[in-house]
Protein backbone atom coordinates (compact mmCIF):
# COMPACT_ATOMS: atom_id res chain seq x y z
CA UNK A 1 0.00 0.00 0.00
CA UNK A 2 1.39 3.41 -0.98
CA UNK A 3 1.35 6.29 1.49
CA UNK A 4 0.39 9.56 -0.17
CA UNK A 5 1.29 12.91 1.39
CA UNK A 6 -1.53 14.42 3.43
CA UNK A 7 -1.63 17.47 1.14
CA UNK A 8 -2.38 15.34 -1.94
CA UNK A 9 -5.07 13.39 -0.11
CA UNK A 10 -6.74 16.62 1.07
CA UNK A 11 -6.69 18.10 -2.43
CA UNK A 12 -8.20 14.92 -3.88
CA UNK A 13 -10.86 14.87 -1.14
CA UNK A 14 -11.74 18.51 -1.85
CA UNK A 15 -12.10 17.75 -5.55
CA UNK A 16 -14.45 14.87 -4.78
CA UNK A 17 -16.52 17.03 -2.42
CA UNK A 18 -16.75 19.78 -5.02
CA UNK A 19 -17.83 17.44 -7.80
CA UNK A 20 -20.40 15.69 -5.59
CA UNK A 21 -22.04 18.94 -4.51
CA UNK A 22 -21.97 20.83 -7.79
CA UNK A 23 -25.73 20.89 -8.38
CA UNK A 24 -26.96 21.71 -4.89
CA UNK A 25 -25.73 25.26 -4.40
CA UNK A 26 -27.92 27.43 -6.52
CA UNK A 27 -29.97 30.51 -5.84
CA UNK A 28 -32.52 31.33 -8.48
CA UNK A 29 -34.96 34.22 -8.33
CA UNK A 30 -37.63 32.07 -9.97
CA UNK A 31 -37.71 29.77 -6.93
CA UNK A 32 -37.50 32.12 -3.93
CA UNK A 33 -39.22 29.76 -1.49
CA UNK A 34 -37.06 26.72 -2.15
CA UNK A 35 -34.68 25.38 0.45
CA UNK A 36 -31.20 26.04 -0.86
CA UNK A 37 -28.30 23.82 0.13
CA UNK A 38 -24.93 25.14 1.17
CA UNK A 39 -22.45 26.80 -1.17
CA UNK A 40 -19.33 24.96 -2.23
CA UNK A 41 -16.67 25.19 0.45
CA UNK A 42 -13.46 23.38 -0.28
CA UNK A 43 -11.40 24.92 2.48
CA UNK A 44 -8.23 23.16 3.37
CA UNK A 45 -5.45 23.99 5.75
CA UNK A 46 -2.75 22.59 3.51
CA UNK A 47 0.54 24.35 3.02
CA UNK A 48 1.43 25.50 -0.48
CA UNK A 49 5.02 24.15 -0.82
CA UNK A 50 6.29 27.46 -2.26
CA UNK A 51 7.90 30.26 -0.36
CA UNK A 52 7.58 32.79 -3.17
CA UNK A 53 4.52 34.95 -3.65
CA UNK A 54 3.11 34.27 -7.10
CA UNK A 55 0.16 36.59 -6.55
CA UNK A 56 -0.55 38.44 -9.78
CA UNK A 57 -3.56 40.29 -8.44
CA UNK A 58 -3.94 43.53 -6.61
CA UNK A 59 -5.03 43.54 -2.97
CA UNK A 60 -7.34 46.31 -1.90
CA UNK A 61 -8.71 46.88 1.53
CA UNK A 62 -12.01 48.65 1.02
CA UNK A 63 -13.52 47.16 -2.10
CA UNK A 64 -13.29 50.42 -3.98
CA UNK A 65 -9.90 50.21 -5.70
CA UNK A 66 -9.33 47.14 -7.82
CA UNK A 67 -6.24 48.16 -9.74
CA UNK A 68 -5.91 49.05 -13.38
CA UNK A 69 -6.32 45.94 -15.47
CA UNK A 70 -8.79 44.36 -17.84
CA UNK A 71 -10.50 42.59 -14.94
CA UNK A 72 -11.62 45.77 -13.18
CA UNK A 73 -14.94 45.56 -11.38
CA UNK A 74 -18.03 47.49 -12.40
CA UNK A 75 -19.68 49.84 -9.94
CA UNK A 76 -22.50 47.28 -9.58
CA UNK A 77 -20.03 44.54 -8.62
CA UNK A 78 -18.30 46.87 -6.15
CA UNK A 79 -21.68 47.66 -4.59
CA UNK A 80 -22.31 43.93 -4.07
CA UNK A 81 -18.89 43.41 -2.51
CA UNK A 82 -19.37 46.40 -0.22
CA UNK A 83 -22.64 44.88 1.01
CA UNK A 84 -20.88 41.56 1.67
CA UNK A 85 -18.14 43.33 3.61
CA UNK A 86 -20.70 45.40 5.52
CA UNK A 87 -22.42 42.18 6.59
CA UNK A 88 -19.09 40.81 7.80
CA UNK A 89 -18.35 44.02 9.74
CA UNK A 90 -21.85 43.99 11.26
CA UNK A 91 -21.20 40.57 12.79
CA UNK A 92 -17.67 41.39 13.97
CA UNK A 93 -15.64 39.86 11.14
CA UNK A 94 -12.86 41.52 9.17
CA UNK A 95 -13.39 42.91 5.69
CA UNK A 96 -12.33 40.83 2.74
CA UNK A 97 -9.83 42.33 0.32
CA UNK A 98 -10.52 42.36 -3.40
CA UNK A 99 -7.97 40.30 -5.32
CA UNK A 100 -7.90 40.85 -9.07
CA UNK A 101 -6.57 37.39 -9.94
CA UNK A 102 -9.84 35.94 -8.59
CA UNK A 103 -11.76 38.10 -11.08
CA UNK A 104 -10.31 36.13 -13.99
CA UNK A 105 -11.97 33.01 -12.57
CA UNK A 106 -15.33 34.63 -11.73
CA UNK A 107 -15.50 36.16 -15.22
CA UNK A 108 -14.71 32.84 -16.88
CA UNK A 109 -17.27 30.91 -14.82
CA UNK A 110 -19.99 33.52 -15.30
CA UNK A 111 -19.50 33.33 -19.08
CA UNK A 112 -19.72 29.53 -18.83
CA UNK A 113 -23.04 29.73 -16.94
CA UNK A 114 -24.45 32.22 -19.44
CA UNK A 115 -23.57 29.90 -22.32
CA UNK A 116 -25.15 26.91 -20.50
CA UNK A 117 -28.15 29.04 -19.46
CA UNK A 118 -27.99 27.68 -15.92
CA UNK A 119 -26.11 28.31 -12.72
CA UNK A 120 -23.67 25.69 -11.53
CA UNK A 121 -20.45 24.98 -9.68
CA UNK A 122 -19.07 22.97 -12.61
CA UNK A 123 -15.26 22.91 -12.64
CA UNK A 124 -14.91 24.67 -9.28
CA UNK A 125 -12.00 22.37 -8.47
CA UNK A 126 -10.16 23.80 -11.47
CA UNK A 127 -10.78 27.33 -10.21
CA UNK A 128 -9.45 26.38 -6.78
CA UNK A 129 -6.33 24.81 -8.33
CA UNK A 130 -5.76 27.93 -10.43
CA UNK A 131 -6.03 30.13 -7.34
CA UNK A 132 -3.73 27.84 -5.37
CA UNK A 133 -1.11 28.36 -8.06
CA UNK A 134 -1.67 32.04 -8.86
CA UNK A 135 -2.79 33.45 -5.50
CA UNK A 136 -1.39 30.98 -2.95
CA UNK A 137 -4.95 30.11 -1.90
CA UNK A 138 -5.27 27.55 0.90
CA UNK A 139 -9.04 27.88 1.26
CA UNK A 140 -11.79 28.37 -1.34
CA UNK A 141 -15.54 28.87 -1.46
CA UNK A 142 -17.92 29.91 -4.22
CA UNK A 143 -21.41 31.35 -4.35
CA UNK A 144 -23.42 31.61 -7.56
CA UNK A 145 -26.84 33.08 -8.29
CA UNK A 146 -29.02 34.27 -11.13
CA UNK A 147 -32.05 36.43 -11.74
CA UNK A 148 -31.54 39.02 -9.02
CA UNK A 149 -31.77 42.60 -10.28
CA UNK A 150 -30.18 44.55 -7.42
CA UNK A 151 -27.08 44.28 -5.26
CA UNK A 152 -29.16 44.15 -2.09
CA UNK A 153 -31.39 41.39 -3.46
CA UNK A 154 -28.54 39.05 -4.41
CA UNK A 155 -26.65 39.59 -1.14
CA UNK A 156 -29.86 39.15 0.89
CA UNK A 157 -30.54 35.93 -1.05
CA UNK A 158 -27.11 34.58 -0.19
CA UNK A 159 -27.40 35.62 3.46
CA UNK A 160 -30.79 33.92 3.78
CA UNK A 161 -29.25 30.66 2.52
CA UNK A 162 -27.36 28.91 5.31
CA UNK A 163 -24.61 27.51 3.09
CA UNK A 164 -24.06 30.68 1.10
CA UNK A 165 -24.05 32.74 4.30
CA UNK A 166 -21.45 30.33 5.70
CA UNK A 167 -19.23 31.17 2.72
CA UNK A 168 -19.74 34.92 3.19
CA UNK A 169 -18.97 34.63 6.92
CA UNK A 170 -16.18 32.09 6.47
CA UNK A 171 -12.52 32.22 7.36
CA UNK A 172 -11.45 33.92 4.14
CA UNK A 173 -9.17 36.86 3.41
CA UNK A 174 -9.87 37.80 -0.21
CA UNK A 175 -12.70 37.73 -2.71
CA UNK A 176 -13.99 38.96 -6.02
CA UNK A 177 -17.18 38.78 -7.99
CA UNK A 178 -18.65 38.95 -11.47
CA UNK A 179 -22.19 40.12 -12.18
CA UNK A 180 -23.12 39.94 -15.84
CA UNK A 181 -26.30 39.91 -17.91
CA UNK A 182 -26.98 37.54 -20.78
CA UNK A 183 -28.26 38.86 -24.12
CA UNK A 184 -31.80 38.99 -22.69
CA UNK A 185 -30.81 41.05 -19.67
CA UNK A 186 -30.94 38.14 -17.18
CA UNK A 187 -28.30 38.45 -14.44
CA UNK A 188 -25.74 35.79 -13.48
CA UNK A 189 -23.39 36.04 -10.49
CA UNK A 190 -20.21 34.24 -9.44
CA UNK A 191 -18.58 35.15 -6.12
CA UNK A 192 -15.33 33.43 -5.04
CA UNK A 193 -13.70 33.62 -1.62
CA UNK A 194 -10.19 32.48 -0.81
CA UNK A 195 -7.94 32.30 2.22
CA UNK A 196 -4.26 33.06 1.74
Amino acid sequence: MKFYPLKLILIMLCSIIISCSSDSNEINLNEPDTNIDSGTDSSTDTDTDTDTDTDTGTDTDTGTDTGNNSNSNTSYEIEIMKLINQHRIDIGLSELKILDVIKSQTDKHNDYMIIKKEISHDNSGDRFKYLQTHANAVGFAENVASGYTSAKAVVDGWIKSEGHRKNIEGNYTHFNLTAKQNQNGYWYYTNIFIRK
Side-chain angles (χ1 to χ4, degrees), residues 20-27 35-40 121 164:
C20 290
S21 64
S22 65
D23 293 326
S24 64
N25 308 320
E26 302 172 354
I27 294 180
N35 184 10
I36 302 166
D37 290 338
S38 65
T40 300
H121 292 285
H164 294 88

Side-chain angles (χ1 to χ4, degrees), residues 109-137:
H109 186 61
N110 235 40
D111 289 343
Y112 171 83
M113 292 191 304
I114 288 171
I115 290 167
K116 287 195 70 167
K117 300 178 182 171
E118 64 183 18
I119 58 176
S120 74
H121 292 285
D122 293 353
N123 308 310
S124 60
D126 293 340
R127 289 186 289 287
F128 183 29
K129 287 176 191 171
Y130 179 90
L131 293 167
Q132 285 176 309
T133 301
H134 294 90
N136 295 324

